[in-house]
Amino acid sequence: MIGLSDFLIVSAGLFCVGLYVILTKRNAIQVLIGIEMMLNAAILNLVAFGKYDRFNNGGQMFALFAIVLAAATTAVALAIILNVYKKYKTIDPNEIHELKD
Amino acid sequence: MTMVKALFYLMGFITLASALFVAASKNLVRSVFMFFVTLLSLAGLYVLALADFVAITQIVIYVGGILVLVLFAFMLSGKETLANLQQQNDRFISISKLPALLLAVLFFIVMVNILFKTDINNLQWVNKAVSYKIDIKPDSPMTSNIGTNLMTTYLLPFEAISILLMMALVGAAHLSRKEKNG
């Protein structure tokens, strides 16, 4: 079978790619995609560790919770991004530096 | 090399390569579609970690829900947003992106280093679980077990997350409504 370390290395790579996307991309939707990548790396870790507990399976359970939370986050974040675009006519995070109205 | 191992390396490679494509691509819509591929191959990885229910949930919620939502946000935000988004005149590696690249690479090195330092394949509790035979086998009935656990052990987080999900959906609908009469 596949060892634990293989899963963890893949998830570490995915996490770092997500970090790079968040740090470099210049529009908010791509930053959101980077956040999703990091969340998915965390979920992969949960699932990989959850393999060693058949009765309580906390890993898979909290992976499910994390997926649902990611869905909620994305819905709210996209609504916020659309509103920011309506107000500022840009979704570049560098250009939105006044949050008070 | 067994079939499972080969499939695992294939899925892992597709995951990382498509994630890198998302990071490198200048075309925004194309990078969103490539993110589909990342999520689908992650679902494949979940299957290989013997979590089939999580894999199906990943496909239903992420691929069917979240990405369609992201694409809808594009379609709704009109032509000029897309035109604005396209004009990023930057290459994958340039001087301004060097700090981010350095940070990501160093973070990766740190994490892999920690993985090897802790000797992750011989963790004490993992060895114990294997020796007591409570690790998940490919033929163990996991989905019914998840259902039972969801209604017994994890009932409180389940209820909490359902309330949170409802709050988030109401909030999203409130935020994205058209302002007509105040």
Side-chain angles (χ1 to χ4, degrees):
Chain A
M1 273 324 268
I2 309 146
L4 203 47
S5 61
D6 299 336
F7 281 109
L8 297 193
I9 286 174
V10 170
S11 118
L14 194 66
F15 189 87
C16 290
V17 175
L19 188 64
Y20 178 78
V21 170
I22 288 178
L23 287 172
T24 55
K25 290 302 176 186
R26 295 191 42 223
N27 70 69
I29 293 181
Q30 270 175 320
V31 172
L32 193 63
I33 289 178
I35 293 173
E36 298 293 326
M37 271 186 205
M38 291 167 91
L39 271 172
N40 266 298
I43 294 170
L44 182 58
N45 266 7
L46 282 174
V47 166
F49 278 111
K51 197 174 147 191
Y52 296 99
D53 184 3
R54 183 166 52 184
F55 298 110
N56 275 326
N57 48 24
Q60 296 190 16
M61 210 58 87
F62 280 96
L64 290 175
F65 289 152
I67 289 175
V68 173
L69 270 184
T73 318
T74 314
V76 175
L78 280 174
I80 290 175
I81 287 172
L82 282 182
N83 272 350
V84 164
Y85 178 73
K86 244 186 270 167
K87 199 169 170 65
Y88 293 90
K89 295 293 164 211
T90 176
I91 51 172
D92 187 346
N94 290 325
E95 313 224 336
I96 304 162
H97 35 61
E98 356 179 292
L99 283 179
K100 63 176 194 294
D101 55 358
Chain B
M1 190 140 89
T2 59
M3 182 79 179
V4 177
K5 203 99 177 160
L7 268 178
F8 173 80
Y9 285 124
L10 183 70
M11 290 291 178
F13 174 75
I14 293 175
T15 307
L16 288 180
S18 59
L20 278 174
F21 187 89
V22 171
S25 165
K26 266 181 278 184
N27 188 331
L28 187 83
V29 180
R30 185 158 290 170
S31 80
V32 171
F33 276 111
M34 213 57 192
F35 191 53
F36 266 99
V37 179
T38 312
L39 292 176
L40 282 173
S41 59
L42 267 169
L45 284 180
Y46 297 161
V47 171
L48 291 179
L50 304 180
D52 34 10
F53 187 72
V54 181
I56 295 299
T57 314
Q58 163 98 355
I59 290 177
V60 169
I61 292 187
Y62 259 108
V63 183
I66 292 182
L67 277 177
V68 173
L69 202 63
V70 172
L71 286 176
F72 257 106
F74 279 135
M75 307 306 166
L76 289 179
S77 57
K79 205 188 276 177
E80 64 271 23
T81 328
L82 283 177
N84 279 344
L85 296 176
Q86 299 293 341
Q87 47 174 322
Q88 306 174 331
N89 47 353
D90 38 21
R91 284 160 292 158
F92 181 47
I93 296 171
S94 61
I95 291 296
S96 62
K97 289 182 176 176
L98 204 59
L101 189 66
L102 205 65
L103 187 63
V105 170
L106 286 180
F107 201 72
F108 182 69
I109 291 171
V110 166
M111 283 209 282
V112 171
N113 199 12
I114 287 174
L115 285 187
F116 284 117
K117 276 236 170 76
T118 48
D119 194 11
I120 203 80
N121 282 324
N122 298 313
L123 282 180
Q124 209 177 3
W125 66 272
V126 169
N127 282 339
K128 216 163 152 190
V130 172
S131 67
Y132 287 165
K133 296 195 191 323
I134 59 167
D135 58 330
I136 298 173
K137 301 282 184 302
D139 55 350
S140 28
M142 287 316 293
T143 307
S144 61
N145 194 12
I146 283 177
T148 312
N149 271 329
L150 206 57
M151 285 295 123
T152 53
T153 319
Y154 298 103
L155 189 58
L156 181 63
F158 180 72
E159 293 295 336
I161 213 163
S162 57
I163 290 179
L164 188 130
L165 190 61
M166 190 188 72
M167 273 162 39
L169 289 183
V170 171
H174 175 77
L175 277 175
S176 59
R177 80 198 189 286
K178 291 255 189 288
E179 305 232 5
K180 251 185 224 155
N181 36 15

